[in-house]
Amino acid sequence: MRTTTPLITTPLITTALAAAALLASPGSATAAPASPGLLPVASLAADRLATADLVAAAKWGTDSPIDDPAREQQVLDTVAAQAQQIGADPDEIRAVFRDQIEANKTVQRALFRRWTAHPDEAPTTKPDLSVVRQTINRINTGLVTALADTTPERSSAGCRPELALAVVEVHHEKHPDLLHTGALVRSLASVCR
């Protein structure tokens, strides 16, 4: 159950704090309207994080670990190759996707803790992990393209404020909970150059 203050909901406070954290990062400037290019980056990162719930549900109660170095390396190699094919910096894309992977694992670990503490909340069905990975791969491809398309915005002094505003807009559109909002901010740590 969510608790609220008289005028501001807890998720709104969380989003504001997340945006403030992005704004306070080195290289930030005064807030500007969200760049059309950065909103898809934040939105795709949120979509990718939403898959963490499915991955966690698929792994829950199995021997499959949350940390999967072989799969993580496969993802990093694939996105780096995609970046190179479209003329983007593979090392830069790899860094962003390391953050994506770590944020996804943060959500999975938190869900495992929640389900351990509250078994009645644990999933009762297991999604097919290969199907979930197809969705992740599709989102990854879109995110690589969005990152490549926003290289100028991500290199500008206004990147962090624009990204923070994009996070606020994504929060408004998708209504992620506190866990996913914090993970979203974590997933975008390397987006701005």
Side-chain angles (χ1 to χ4, degrees), residues 51 71 128-141:
T51 67
R71 169 67 180 160
D128 183 339
L129 194 52
S130 65
V131 173
V132 176
R133 285 182 173 164
Q134 289 173 7
T135 300
I136 294 169
N137 292 341
R138 182 182 44 76
I139 294 168
N140 288 352
T141 299

Side-chain angles (χ1 to χ4, degrees), residues 27 29 33 37 43 47 76-77 109 112 116 125 130 145 157 167 177 187 192:
S43 184
D47 291 346
L76 294 173
D77 291 345
R109 286 185 187 105
F112 271 38
T116 299
T125 60
S130 65
T145 301
V167 167
D177 61 14
S187 77
C192 294

Side-chain angles (χ1 to χ4, degrees), residues 19 22-23 52 63 70 72 89 130 133 137 153 157-158:
L22 283 171
L23 287 169
D63 292 337
E72 293 168 23
D89 182 343
S130 65
R133 285 182 173 164
N137 292 341
E153 291 93 338

